[in-house]
Amino acid sequence: MYIKKGICLAGGIRVVSEEKKKNRVSVEINKRTYTIVGPESKEHVELVASLVDQKMRDIRSTNKHLDSTKLAVLTALNTMNEYIKLKEEHEELITLIEEEE
Amino acid sequence: MYIKKGICLAGGIRVVSEEKKKNRVSVEINKRTYTIVGPESKEHVELVASLVDQKMRDIRSTNKHLDSTKLAVLTALNTMNEYIKLKEEHEELITLIEEEE
């Protein structure tokens, strides 16, 4: 039996793939186009891309001489910083709830 | 009166700056050095930088032909995606707590 891309060729029976459907979404960030492939909806990918694009603009507005790579790395750093802080806050909240129970 | 960098030159009286102390921390991300200036501790900046660097390595390992800018933008997108999801989860938790009160 030879299985490829979720289709069973030997018996002619279709094997339903358990993988989630993957969407392809094209977005523009800092004047370049990126094609994102994944299970997320088009709307979600567009929201995430617009937030990254806006953050890059904000950082560029105060650091006009940054090259594109540095700008993108600083954007990633900035986002990771916010993620870590939110994660700490979230875990503190969970700990508080557990203590009250 | 001429004020520069928190010092009052006219009367010779020092004006204490209300700004938080800013640290300068150098970190290496994807083989380039970045100097981060801000109120965060050295340890925190190093943690954030190491997470970004690791994420870039992970993305590169599955997309070997990405240039540095694309790699950094995809890292920012990936991090922003995780931030948005955590934020939604955090807000749901806050709503649940408020409903129980």
XYZ file of all heavy atoms in Angstrom, chain A residues 10-101:
738
model
N -3.462 2.005 -3.375
C -3.583 0.561 -3.592
C -5.032 0.109 -3.726
O -5.424 -0.472 -4.731
C -2.920 -0.185 -2.445
N -5.847 0.418 -2.740
C -7.233 -0.063 -2.776
C -8.192 0.918 -3.426
O -9.380 0.649 -3.513
N -7.677 2.073 -3.842
C -8.556 3.069 -4.429
C -9.447 3.758 -3.401
O -10.384 4.451 -3.728
N -9.120 3.544 -2.111
C -9.945 4.164 -1.062
C -9.255 5.435 -0.590
O -8.061 5.433 -0.290
C -10.099 3.210 0.151
C -10.736 1.892 -0.316
C -10.930 3.860 1.256
C -10.474 0.751 0.637
N -10.003 6.486 -0.522
C -9.414 7.741 -0.094
C -9.191 7.746 1.421
O -10.110 7.467 2.184
C -10.336 8.905 -0.464
C -9.633 10.213 -0.263
C -10.459 11.381 -0.712
N -9.720 12.564 -0.306
C -9.563 13.608 -1.041
N -10.055 13.639 -2.243
N -8.891 14.648 -0.598
N -7.962 8.027 1.809
C -7.648 8.146 3.238
C -7.745 9.620 3.600
O -7.045 10.448 3.027
C -6.227 7.614 3.541
C -5.899 7.802 5.016
C -6.117 6.158 3.145
N -8.625 9.943 4.508
C -8.799 11.355 4.865
C -7.613 11.804 5.719
O -7.291 11.181 6.716
C -10.140 11.579 5.609
C -10.273 13.035 6.031
C -11.304 11.166 4.736
N -6.981 12.854 5.270
C -5.831 13.371 6.012
C -6.283 13.971 7.338
O -7.320 14.627 7.414
C -5.142 14.449 5.173
O -4.229 15.151 5.972
N -5.489 13.710 8.362
C -5.826 14.294 9.664
C -5.226 15.690 9.840
O -5.490 16.363 10.812
C -5.347 13.375 10.792
C -6.245 12.146 10.917
C -5.808 11.213 12.005
O -4.981 11.641 12.840
O -6.282 10.076 12.023
N -4.420 16.068 8.876
C -3.821 17.405 8.956
C -4.900 18.474 8.829
O -5.866 18.289 8.094
C -2.860 17.607 7.787
C -1.443 17.229 8.090
C -0.562 17.575 6.909
O -0.128 18.734 6.838
O -0.347 16.715 6.058
N -4.722 19.585 9.517
C -5.673 20.686 9.366
C -5.476 21.303 7.988
O -4.370 21.282 7.438
C -5.409 21.757 10.434
C -6.126 21.474 11.734
C -5.830 22.540 12.752
C -6.884 23.620 12.796
N -6.660 24.561 13.922
N -6.539 21.823 7.454
C -6.461 22.482 6.150
C -5.466 23.652 6.239
O -5.449 24.387 7.218
C -7.855 23.021 5.805
C -7.975 23.629 4.440
C -9.412 24.049 4.193
C -9.510 24.937 2.973
N -9.077 26.313 3.226
N -4.621 23.773 5.220
C -3.662 24.879 5.239
C -4.058 25.961 4.241
O -4.392 25.670 3.106
C -2.256 24.364 4.933
C -1.674 23.600 6.108
C -0.197 23.368 5.955
C 0.378 22.748 7.226
N 1.784 22.389 7.090
N -4.033 27.200 4.711
C -4.349 28.334 3.841
C -3.065 28.999 3.372
O -2.062 28.989 4.083
C -5.175 29.368 4.624
C -6.515 28.828 5.055
O -7.224 28.224 4.274
N -6.857 29.028 6.317
N -3.104 29.579 2.171
C -1.997 30.397 1.667
C -2.486 31.833 1.646
O -3.493 32.133 1.000
C -1.638 29.998 0.226
C -0.958 28.656 0.093
C -0.745 28.361 -1.372
N 0.334 29.182 -1.919
C 1.619 28.830 -1.892
N 1.966 27.667 -1.356
N 2.541 29.613 -2.380
N -1.790 32.692 2.369
C -2.199 34.103 2.419
C -1.003 34.985 2.073
O 0.079 34.806 2.638
C -2.733 34.491 3.832
C -3.296 35.899 3.825
C -3.779 33.505 4.325
N -1.190 35.913 1.129
C -0.119 36.854 0.776
C -0.329 38.167 1.508
O -1.432 38.723 1.491
C -0.102 37.108 -0.733
O 0.391 35.965 -1.376
N 0.723 38.636 2.156
C 0.646 39.912 2.882
C 1.856 40.767 2.511
O 2.888 40.242 2.091
C 0.623 39.697 4.424
C -0.673 39.063 4.872
C 1.813 38.861 4.902
N 1.707 42.079 2.667
C 2.833 42.969 2.382
C 3.361 43.563 3.689
O 2.590 44.106 4.486
C 2.410 44.094 1.422
C 3.623 44.808 0.862
C 3.295 45.830 -0.211
O 2.666 45.451 -1.222
O 3.672 46.995 -0.051
N 4.658 43.395 3.917
C 5.281 43.946 5.124
C 6.545 44.688 4.720
O 7.418 44.103 4.059
C 5.626 42.826 6.144
C 4.331 42.135 6.620
C 6.392 43.374 7.344
C 4.573 40.864 7.379
N 6.604 45.954 5.101
C 7.755 46.799 4.757
C 8.099 46.697 3.259
O 9.249 46.503 2.884
C 8.957 46.412 5.634
C 10.028 47.478 5.665
O 9.740 48.672 5.610
N 11.281 47.048 5.707
N 7.055 46.792 2.448
C 7.167 46.835 0.975
C 7.637 45.539 0.325
O 8.084 45.535 -0.815
C 8.051 48.011 0.531
C 7.409 49.356 0.852
C 8.374 50.497 0.637
C 7.845 51.757 1.304
N 8.865 52.754 1.557
N 7.593 44.421 1.068
C 7.891 43.126 0.444
C 6.705 42.192 0.681
O 6.004 42.312 1.692
C 9.154 42.498 1.055
C 10.424 43.154 0.553
C 11.652 42.523 1.167
N 12.021 41.262 0.535
C 13.113 40.563 0.874
N 13.913 41.019 1.822
N 13.412 39.435 0.268
N 6.496 41.282 -0.268
C 5.356 40.374 -0.159
C 5.792 39.044 0.459
O 6.831 38.488 0.091
C 4.739 40.145 -1.553
O 4.353 41.424 -2.060
C 3.509 39.255 -1.475
N 5.008 38.569 1.404
C 5.273 37.299 2.073
C 4.059 36.392 1.887
O 2.923 36.854 2.054
C 5.502 37.523 3.574
C 6.758 38.311 3.845
C 6.768 39.703 3.729
C 7.941 37.659 4.169
C 7.936 40.427 3.936
C 9.106 38.379 4.383
C 9.101 39.754 4.266
O 10.253 40.467 4.465
N 4.300 35.146 1.512
C 3.198 34.189 1.424
C 3.261 33.284 2.644
O 4.256 32.593 2.869
C 3.297 33.363 0.126
O 3.271 34.282 -0.965
C 2.112 32.408 -0.005
N 2.215 33.358 3.442
C 2.173 32.607 4.700
C 1.291 31.374 4.497
O 0.148 31.482 4.058
C 1.584 33.484 5.834
C 2.278 34.864 5.890
C 1.639 32.760 7.175
C 3.758 34.849 6.173
N 1.851 30.209 4.796
C 1.095 28.963 4.667
C 0.865 28.386 6.063
O 1.827 28.207 6.823
C 1.866 27.939 3.796
C 1.039 26.664 3.609
C 2.203 28.538 2.434
N -0.389 28.145 6.400
C -0.663 27.600 7.731
C -2.142 27.442 7.979
O -2.955 27.760 7.111
N -2.483 26.950 9.169
C -3.898 26.687 9.460
C -4.704 27.937 9.811
O -5.924 27.875 9.906
C -3.818 25.740 10.669
C -2.545 26.100 11.342
C -1.600 26.569 10.289
N -4.021 29.076 10.005
C -4.707 30.292 10.427
C -5.598 30.850 9.311
O -5.279 30.707 8.135
C -3.681 31.389 10.794
C -2.552 30.950 11.686
C -2.997 30.625 13.099
O -4.178 30.807 13.399
O -2.170 30.150 13.892
N -6.674 31.550 9.700
C -7.560 32.165 8.711
C -6.859 33.346 8.039
O -5.914 33.917 8.587
C -8.843 32.658 9.379
O -8.558 33.794 10.176
N -7.381 33.696 6.863
C -6.845 34.837 6.106
C -6.897 36.112 6.975
O -5.928 36.871 7.042
C -7.702 35.012 4.851
C -7.229 36.044 3.867
C -8.049 35.974 2.580
C -7.559 36.967 1.530
N -7.919 38.344 1.802
N -8.024 36.284 7.670
C -8.226 37.492 8.493
C -7.184 37.559 9.616
O -6.650 38.617 9.913
C -9.635 37.501 9.115
C -10.776 37.674 8.142
C -11.007 36.476 7.229
O -10.665 35.337 7.637
O -11.497 36.663 6.093
N -6.912 36.411 10.231
C -5.949 36.378 11.334
C -4.535 36.716 10.821
O -3.832 37.533 11.423
C -5.971 35.008 12.010
C -5.020 34.903 13.156
N -5.338 35.353 14.425
C -3.755 34.436 13.236
C -4.309 35.159 15.216
N -3.334 34.602 14.527
N -4.155 36.103 9.699
C -2.811 36.353 9.133
C -2.683 37.831 8.750
O -1.662 38.469 9.026
C -2.543 35.438 7.914
C -1.220 35.796 7.242
C -2.527 33.969 8.342
N -3.746 38.386 8.160
C -3.703 39.802 7.763
C -3.599 40.720 8.981
O -2.894 41.725 8.940
C -4.933 40.141 6.915
C -4.785 39.593 5.495
C -6.031 39.745 4.636
O -7.096 40.077 5.183
O -5.932 39.499 3.421
N -4.277 40.348 10.067
C -4.189 41.143 11.300
C -2.763 41.113 11.854
O -2.174 42.162 12.156
C -5.167 40.592 12.357
C -4.986 41.139 13.780
C -5.410 42.600 13.855
C -5.771 40.320 14.803
N -2.188 39.908 11.947
C -0.829 39.747 12.485
C 0.166 40.542 11.620
O 1.011 41.281 12.130
C -0.448 38.245 12.546
C 1.024 38.062 12.872
C -1.306 37.520 13.585
N 0.016 40.412 10.292
C 0.929 41.115 9.368
C 0.800 42.628 9.515
O 1.813 43.343 9.514
C 0.630 40.687 7.933
N -0.429 43.117 9.671
C -0.601 44.573 9.773
C 0.003 45.102 11.074
O 0.560 46.202 11.104
C -2.071 44.971 9.640
O -2.771 44.614 10.815
N -0.055 44.298 12.134
C 0.550 44.724 13.403
C 2.075 44.751 13.300
O 2.725 45.668 13.817
C 0.105 43.791 14.545
C -1.371 43.912 14.951
C -1.778 42.783 15.877
C -1.646 45.260 15.622
N 2.650 43.753 12.612
C 4.111 43.736 12.417
C 4.529 44.928 11.542
O 5.482 45.644 11.856
C 4.577 42.398 11.786
C 6.031 42.471 11.335
C 4.408 41.252 12.795
N 3.783 45.147 10.474
C 4.091 46.259 9.564
C 4.032 47.599 10.311
O 4.923 48.444 10.159
C 3.088 46.233 8.402
C 3.500 47.156 7.274
O 4.675 47.086 6.864
O 2.669 47.947 6.802
N 3.000 47.763 11.146
C 2.849 49.017 11.901
C 3.996 49.199 12.893
O 4.551 50.294 13.033
C 1.501 49.020 12.635
C 1.186 50.346 13.309
C 1.226 51.531 12.349
O 0.579 51.515 11.312
N 2.029 52.537 12.665
N 4.396 48.101 13.540
C 5.498 48.178 14.504
C 6.806 48.548 13.797
O 7.609 49.325 14.312
C 5.631 46.835 15.229
C 6.287 46.931 16.588
C 6.340 45.588 17.281
C 5.225 45.339 18.249
N 5.241 46.233 19.411
N 7.010 48.002 12.597
C 8.218 48.351 11.830
C 8.225 49.844 11.476
O 9.257 50.509 11.561
C 8.320 47.497 10.563
C 8.697 46.057 10.879
S 8.849 44.993 9.429
C 10.549 45.334 8.939
N 7.059 50.355 11.087
C 6.963 51.797 10.784
C 7.295 52.629 12.009
O 7.989 53.636 11.923
C 5.534 52.166 10.362
C 5.163 51.769 8.978
C 3.672 52.023 8.798
N 3.128 51.137 7.802
C 2.925 51.482 6.547
N 3.192 52.692 6.137
N 2.451 50.627 5.677
N 6.743 52.219 13.179
C 6.980 52.967 14.420
C 8.466 53.003 14.755
O 9.001 54.050 15.128
C 6.224 52.313 15.599
C 4.713 52.449 15.463
O 4.258 53.246 14.634
O 3.988 51.727 16.185
N 9.122 51.835 14.625
C 10.554 51.778 14.965
C 11.360 52.587 13.953
O 12.256 53.342 14.329
C 11.035 50.306 15.057
C 10.332 49.596 16.228
C 12.561 50.229 15.232
C 10.597 48.107 16.342
N 10.994 52.478 12.675
C 11.713 53.248 11.640
C 11.556 54.758 11.860
O 12.496 55.518 11.616
C 11.209 52.855 10.247
C 11.781 53.729 9.145
C 11.815 53.094 7.800
N 12.956 52.198 7.651
C 13.048 51.253 6.729
N 12.061 51.071 5.873
N 14.121 50.501 6.645
N 10.381 55.175 12.350
C 10.150 56.620 12.512
C 11.098 57.238 13.540
O 11.384 58.427 13.487
C 8.694 56.887 12.887
O 8.472 56.477 14.222
N 11.605 56.413 14.471
C 12.552 56.965 15.450
C 14.000 56.550 15.163
O 14.916 56.978 15.859
C 12.179 56.526 16.893
O 12.047 55.102 16.921
C 10.888 57.155 17.352
N 14.186 55.665 14.181
C 15.542 55.223 13.803
C 15.622 55.163 12.273
O 15.584 54.091 11.676
C 15.827 53.805 14.343
C 15.675 53.679 15.846
O 16.618 53.829 16.590
N 14.472 53.385 16.289
N 15.710 56.320 11.646
C 15.575 56.382 10.184
C 16.683 55.672 9.406
O 16.532 55.365 8.235
C 15.474 57.846 9.732
C 14.195 58.511 10.249
C 13.822 59.706 9.412
C 12.833 60.623 10.116
N 11.630 59.971 10.609
N 17.829 55.449 10.042
C 18.952 54.895 9.292
C 19.133 53.378 9.425
O 20.146 52.827 9.013
C 20.251 55.621 9.683
C 20.137 57.096 9.462
N 19.995 57.636 8.202
C 20.073 58.132 10.328
C 19.868 58.946 8.306
N 19.913 59.279 9.576
N 18.145 52.721 9.992
C 18.240 51.261 10.142
C 18.069 50.560 8.801
O 17.196 50.919 8.018
C 17.133 50.764 11.072
C 17.252 51.073 12.557
C 15.982 50.633 13.276
C 18.456 50.370 13.156
N 18.888 49.525 8.550
C 18.629 48.721 7.346
C 17.463 47.769 7.640
O 17.032 47.618 8.782
C 19.894 47.971 6.893
C 20.396 46.960 7.908
O 19.605 46.091 8.335
O 21.580 47.031 8.275
N 16.939 47.151 6.588
C 15.715 46.343 6.716
C 15.867 45.186 7.699
O 14.948 44.866 8.451
C 15.310 45.765 5.364
O 15.059 46.804 4.492
N 17.045 44.541 7.684
C 17.241 43.399 8.578
C 17.241 43.855 10.032
O 16.561 43.271 10.881
C 18.564 42.671 8.258
O 18.528 42.290 6.892
C 18.760 41.441 9.116
N 17.996 44.916 10.328
C 18.040 45.419 11.707
C 16.648 45.848 12.156
O 16.227 45.582 13.279
C 19.018 46.601 11.827
C 20.473 46.157 11.920
C 21.331 47.171 12.670
C 22.655 46.543 13.060
N 23.452 47.329 13.994
N 15.934 46.513 11.252
C 14.583 46.966 11.563
C 13.686 45.773 11.921
O 12.940 45.802 12.908
C 14.014 47.720 10.353
C 12.599 48.268 10.476
C 12.496 49.287 11.596
C 12.155 48.894 9.155
N 13.778 44.701 11.120
C 12.940 43.523 11.364
C 13.358 42.804 12.647
O 12.503 42.332 13.404
C 13.008 42.577 10.165
N 14.670 42.742 12.917
C 15.140 42.083 14.154
C 14.671 42.890 15.374
O 14.197 42.311 16.360
C 16.679 41.906 14.155
C 17.196 41.522 15.531
C 17.087 40.843 13.146
N 14.757 44.218 15.301
C 14.303 45.044 16.423
C 12.796 44.895 16.627
O 12.310 44.906 17.758
C 14.679 46.520 16.204
C 16.174 46.816 16.345
C 16.471 48.267 15.975
C 16.672 46.551 17.771
N 12.069 44.717 15.523
C 10.621 44.488 15.614
C 10.341 43.154 16.319
O 9.461 43.066 17.181
C 9.994 44.499 14.201
O 10.337 45.738 13.577
C 8.485 44.358 14.243
N 11.115 42.134 15.950
C 10.957 40.824 16.586
C 11.296 40.911 18.083
O 10.583 40.359 18.927
C 11.841 39.792 15.891
N 12.379 41.629 18.413
C 12.795 41.801 19.816
C 11.712 42.494 20.636
O 11.378 42.078 21.742
C 14.067 42.657 19.889
C 15.394 41.951 19.704
C 16.506 42.981 19.582
C 15.691 41.012 20.887
N 11.179 43.557 20.051
C 10.149 44.342 20.697
C 8.888 43.497 20.960
O 8.315 43.530 22.054
C 9.839 45.489 19.728
C 9.058 46.591 20.343
O 7.929 46.357 20.739
N 9.641 47.773 20.409
N 8.516 42.698 19.956
C 7.326 41.848 20.085
C 7.576 40.747 21.113
O 6.706 40.432 21.931
C 6.953 41.229 18.720
O 6.918 42.271 17.749
C 5.604 40.547 18.766
N 8.777 40.168 21.082
C 9.116 39.110 22.040
C 9.101 39.670 23.466
O 8.646 39.001 24.397
C 10.493 38.519 21.703
C 10.904 37.372 22.579
S 9.857 35.901 22.367
C 10.626 35.129 20.946
N 9.571 40.888 23.639
C 9.560 41.538 24.949
C 8.122 41.655 25.472
O 7.844 41.303 26.624
C 10.205 42.922 24.815
C 10.375 43.607 26.150
O 10.611 42.958 27.161
N 10.263 44.926 26.164
N 7.218 42.094 24.592
C 5.809 42.218 24.993
C 5.207 40.840 25.291
O 4.403 40.698 26.207
C 5.002 42.922 23.902
C 5.305 44.405 23.881
C 4.723 45.137 22.689
O 3.740 44.651 22.108
O 5.276 46.190 22.320
N 5.605 39.849 24.499
C 5.099 38.482 24.711
C 5.517 37.955 26.090
O 4.700 37.443 26.846
C 5.610 37.560 23.603
C 5.218 36.116 23.810
C 3.943 35.668 23.476
C 6.097 35.205 24.380
C 3.569 34.351 23.693
C 5.733 33.886 24.600
C 4.468 33.470 24.252
O 4.090 32.168 24.480
N 6.796 38.130 26.418
C 7.325 37.633 27.700
C 6.615 38.302 28.873
O 6.239 37.658 29.851
C 8.853 37.915 27.814
C 9.625 37.238 26.691
C 9.421 37.515 29.177
C 9.666 35.759 26.766
N 6.407 39.619 28.758
C 5.738 40.349 29.839
C 4.301 39.883 30.018
O 3.827 39.711 31.137
C 5.798 41.849 29.574
C 7.199 42.376 29.778
C 7.271 43.855 29.611
C 8.622 44.345 30.087
N 8.737 45.806 29.972
N 3.616 39.696 28.898
C 2.229 39.229 28.968
C 2.171 37.811 29.538
O 1.290 37.487 30.328
C 1.592 39.278 27.570
C 0.122 38.871 27.475
C -0.763 39.781 28.326
C -0.358 38.883 26.025
N 3.148 36.990 29.160
C 3.194 35.608 29.646
C 3.367 35.586 31.166
O 2.709 34.827 31.867
C 4.332 34.848 28.956
C 4.208 33.341 29.122
C 5.089 32.593 28.162
C 5.011 31.109 28.376
N 3.684 30.554 28.088
N 4.249 36.464 31.674
C 4.461 36.547 33.118
C 3.162 36.954 33.827
O 2.773 36.365 34.834
C 5.572 37.549 33.438
C 6.968 37.004 33.155
C 8.061 38.074 33.199
O 7.748 39.257 33.482
O 9.222 37.722 32.927
N 2.502 37.965 33.242
C 1.247 38.470 33.806
C 0.182 37.361 33.807
O -0.539 37.178 34.775
C 0.776 39.622 32.901
C -0.040 40.676 33.590
C -0.409 41.794 32.624
O 0.511 42.385 32.000
O -1.598 42.048 32.464
N 0.116 36.628 32.709
C -0.861 35.551 32.550
C -0.609 34.435 33.583
O -1.538 33.947 34.213
C -0.750 35.006 31.123
C -1.848 34.059 30.754
N -3.166 34.447 30.694
C -1.835 32.747 30.422
C -3.914 33.407 30.343
N -3.127 32.370 30.175
N 0.661 34.098 33.752
C 0.995 33.030 34.712
C 0.724 33.465 36.155
O 0.291 32.658 36.970
C 2.452 32.581 34.518
C 2.544 31.660 33.300
C 3.951 31.399 32.819
O 4.909 31.916 33.436
O 4.086 30.688 31.798
N 0.955 34.741 36.432
C 0.648 35.266 37.778
C -0.843 35.159 38.060
O -1.267 34.801 39.156
C 1.071 36.735 37.898
C 2.528 36.909 38.274
C 2.966 38.366 38.201
O 2.112 39.260 38.351
O 4.172 38.604 37.975
N -1.645 35.472 37.032
C -3.095 35.412 37.174
C -3.552 33.977 37.422
O -4.389 33.718 38.292
C -3.746 35.975 35.897
C -5.244 36.270 35.950
C -5.588 37.242 37.056
C -5.713 36.831 34.613
N -2.970 33.035 36.690
C -3.318 31.617 36.874
C -2.946 31.159 38.289
O -3.718 30.487 38.966
C -2.641 30.747 35.786
C -3.319 31.013 34.435
C -2.720 29.258 36.134
C -2.623 30.395 33.242
N -1.770 31.586 38.763
C -1.333 31.235 40.122
C -2.318 31.787 41.156
O -2.699 31.092 42.101
C 0.089 31.793 40.389
O 0.937 31.352 39.339
C 0.645 31.334 41.717
N -2.759 33.031 40.963
C -3.723 33.659 41.883
C -5.021 32.874 41.933
O -5.579 32.633 43.014
C -4.034 35.083 41.400
C -3.198 36.204 41.983
C -3.535 37.522 41.294
C -3.444 36.339 43.486
N -5.500 32.450 40.752
C -6.752 31.686 40.671
C -6.595 30.346 41.392
O -7.456 29.937 42.163
C -7.155 31.461 39.188
C -7.512 32.795 38.538
C -8.328 30.489 39.082
C -7.627 32.745 37.027
N -5.455 29.709 41.164
C -5.211 28.400 41.801
C -5.137 28.529 43.319
O -5.589 27.656 44.047
C -3.930 27.771 41.255
C -4.140 27.208 39.849
C -2.854 26.775 39.175
O -1.747 27.096 39.691
O -2.945 26.148 38.115
N -4.565 29.633 43.803
C -4.449 29.854 45.250
C -5.811 30.070 45.906
O -6.028 29.717 47.052
C -3.545 31.051 45.532
C -2.062 30.700 45.422
C -1.159 31.915 45.505
O -1.670 33.048 45.661
O 0.057 31.740 45.398
N -6.716 30.680 45.133
C -8.062 30.970 45.672
C -8.945 29.735 45.719
O -9.919 29.707 46.448
C -8.735 32.060 44.833
C -8.249 33.448 45.215
C -9.046 34.555 44.561
O -10.083 34.257 43.941
O -8.616 35.706 44.663
N -8.610 28.756 44.902
C -9.483 27.566 44.825
C -9.328 26.661 46.058
O -8.267 26.530 46.611
C -9.188 26.780 43.542
C -9.893 27.390 42.344
C -9.514 26.771 41.007
O -8.687 25.824 40.975
O -10.011 27.256 39.986
